[in-house]
């Protein structure tokens, strides 16, 4: 599996169903296809999620081989860890959020 690539995009919306309807009309996307876990070479998966204080604008998700090492590289390069390592046992993944020096938030995911 490719690592250190953007593999997912979170799109926040106040009206999640309406947003899915919009993206369905424009691109043919659906919640069902977003979570189908089918291979799509060269494609980025996307989901529409409820807008929150933590997620106000679209946010890319980068899949990494070693989450802790990636967070260390972020800090060494001048970024800031916003939300540290969080385990998601239901899907055997770990998750974190960092801010780049310009203040953009990026999600990181990896295997547990």
């Amino acid at each position: 599996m490719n690592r250190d690539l953007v593999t997912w995009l979170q799109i926040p919306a106040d009206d999640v169903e309406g947003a899915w309807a919009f993206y369905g009309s424009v691109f043919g996307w659906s919640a069902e296809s977003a979570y189908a876990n089918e291979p799509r070479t060269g494609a980025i998966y996307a989901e529409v999620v409820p807008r929150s204080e933590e997620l106000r604008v679209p946010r890319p998700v980068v899949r990494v081989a070693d989450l802790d090492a990636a967070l260390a590289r972020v800090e060494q390069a001048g970024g800031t860890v916003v939300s540290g390592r969080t385990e998601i046992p239901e899907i055997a993944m770990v998750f974190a959020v960092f801010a780049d020096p310009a203040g953009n938030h990026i999600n990181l995911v990896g295997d547990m």
Side-chain angles (χ1 to χ4, degrees), residues 15-85:
D15 175 5
V16 172
E17 288 183 28
W20 274 121
F22 169 80
Y23 287 108
S25 294
V26 175
F27 301 119
W29 295 359
S30 71
E32 295 78 19
S33 65
Y35 302 111
N37 198 24
E38 58 191 35
R40 294 183 233 171
T41 303
I44 296 173
Y45 292 79
E47 68 178 334
V48 177
V49 296
R51 188 179 313 276
S52 67
E53 286 304 313
E54 295 81 29
L55 188 62
R56 306 271 331 138
V57 297
R59 187 180 301 167
V61 179
V62 178
R63 187 175 183 91
V64 296
D66 183 332
L67 185 81
D68 298 318
L71 289 174
R73 290 192 306 271
V74 163
E75 291 182 312
Q76 290 167 355
T80 305
V81 175
V82 175
S83 176
R85 180 188 180 95

